[in-house]
Amino acid sequence: MRPVVLCFSGLDPSGGAGLQADIEAIGQAGAHAAIACTAITVQSSQQVFGFEACAANLVKAQATTVLADLPVSVIKSGMLGTTDNITMLTQLFADAIIQAGTPFVLDPVLVANSGGSLGDEQTLVAAFRKLLPYATLITPNTHELRALSGEQDLHIGAQKLCAQGTHAVLVKTSHDFETGDIEQYLYIKGEMVHKSVLPRLDGEFHGSGCSLASFIAGRLAKGDALVSAVMAADSWITQTLRTADAPHPNNAQAQLIPNRFVAFK
């Protein structure tokens, strides 16, 4: 079968982000997405209103069932929601229930793009720091990178996270500036190995971050090297945003939903 990515992610009823975004992005990357659902959120395409996390033992049962059944090539996590779920995933790696050496793309979700809280930040950050050493790549937004590293400078923050055990960090600057092109930097073992410049498109997008991380995970499952996977994801995500759907076309401030069914070229 196609290579399998096991995703730990929450349900977004609007379909703009979360596990549906994971499934669509990984499918477009050429892989199969299996899901361990971590939370049920109450959110629209524009705003998070609340969520209820799944119990850690339930998420673990989902994950171990998939691991026993399918040839999982890559792990990807998005919204984990609680320290218990983060600790549970950390333990799956520590106990080698997830096979040692399995690539792991960690999107350390603290706050939704729409600004809604997805958990108590201070406790989530403390738990995430124990998970970071198992990550092949982390894809934080600027707020998450600063929270995890304790550094305001994004480049120093990325280097610090690498020094603490993370293999690679993708620095995304889209949240820091409202104009100009978007620069991204890939740090591997503390060294910047790739810089990309993406066009800044009009509008705000719901689910772009999880889509990017999941597409990278899918390309890693297909056998791409990390730099190649990031470059492919940059190209693909730009196409999805250019053709994004507008749930509220008469509201220029409303968030758009990426068109993840754009074929990867």
Side-chain angles (χ1 to χ4, degrees):
M1 66 179 297
R2 289 171 295 160
V4 177
V5 179
L6 172 56
C7 300
F8 293 79
S9 49
L11 173 66
D12 170 3
S14 77
L19 62 85
Q20 183 168 325
D22 293 339
I23 293 168
E24 293 173 0
I26 289 167
Q28 289 299 318
H32 172 78
I35 303 292
C37 183
T38 58
I40 308 297
T41 71
V42 179
Q43 66 178 302
S44 66
S45 62
Q46 309 301 311
Q47 184 178 354
V48 176
F49 298 97
F51 77 97
E52 184 168 334
C54 297
N57 60 353
L58 176 60
V59 180
K60 180 179 179 180
Q62 295 176 71
T64 54
T65 300
V66 170
L67 289 164
D69 180 48
L70 299 177
V72 173
S73 300
V74 175
I75 304 295
K76 186 263 178 178
S77 71
M79 178 190 178
L80 291 168
T82 65
T83 55
D84 284 348
N85 281 339
I86 299 170
T87 300
M88 176 275 301
L89 180 54
T90 304
Q91 205 62 43
L92 290 181
F93 282 103
D95 293 343
I97 295 172
I98 296 173
Q99 185 175 348
T102 301
F104 172 34
V105 177
L106 169 58
D107 186 14
V109 177
L110 297 175
V111 179
N113 282 348
S114 53
S117 174
L118 296 177
D120 177 71
E121 181 168 298
Q122 185 174 0
T123 56
L124 291 177
V125 165
F128 269 128
R129 286 176 175 159
K130 297 178 181 179
L131 181 59
L132 292 176
Y134 297 101
T136 305
L137 174 70
I138 66 170
T139 62
N141 60 32
T142 53
H143 172 78
E144 292 158 350
L145 178 54
R146 291 185 173 111
L148 290 168
S149 68
E151 301 287 347
Q152 287 301 303
D153 184 283
L154 298 176
H155 299 279
I156 293 174
Q159 292 171 329
K160 183 175 179 178
L161 292 179
C162 288
Q164 293 173 348
T166 297
H167 177 71
V169 180
L170 183 62
V171 179
K172 303 178 294 184
T173 65
S174 59
H175 285 206
D176 265 19
F177 307 99
E178 294 183 358
T179 60
D181 290 336
I182 298 169
E183 296 182 349
Q184 291 189 163
Y185 306 90
L186 177 62
Y187 280 82
I188 297 179
K189 297 182 178 179
E191 299 292 330
M192 189 176 72
V193 299
H194 177 69
K195 174 184 176 181
S196 57
V197 179
L198 307 179
R200 183 178 296 278
L201 304 176
D202 291 337
E204 295 290 329
F205 299 92
H206 180 65
S208 55
C210 48
S211 300
L212 179 72
S214 291
F215 193 90
I216 293 170
R219 291 311 304 174
L220 291 176
K222 290 286 288 182
D224 285 6
L226 184 54
V227 174
S228 297
V230 169
M231 292 175 65
D234 284 343
S235 175
W236 175 78
I237 198 69
T238 300
Q239 296 176 59
T240 73
L241 302 185
R242 287 190 189 279
T243 58
D245 294 315
H248 302 278
N250 296 323
N251 181 358
Q253 304 303 313
Q255 290 194 90
L256 308 175
I257 296 178
N259 175 16
R260 288 177 289 262
F261 287 97
V262 170
F264 170 57
K265 299 177 181 178

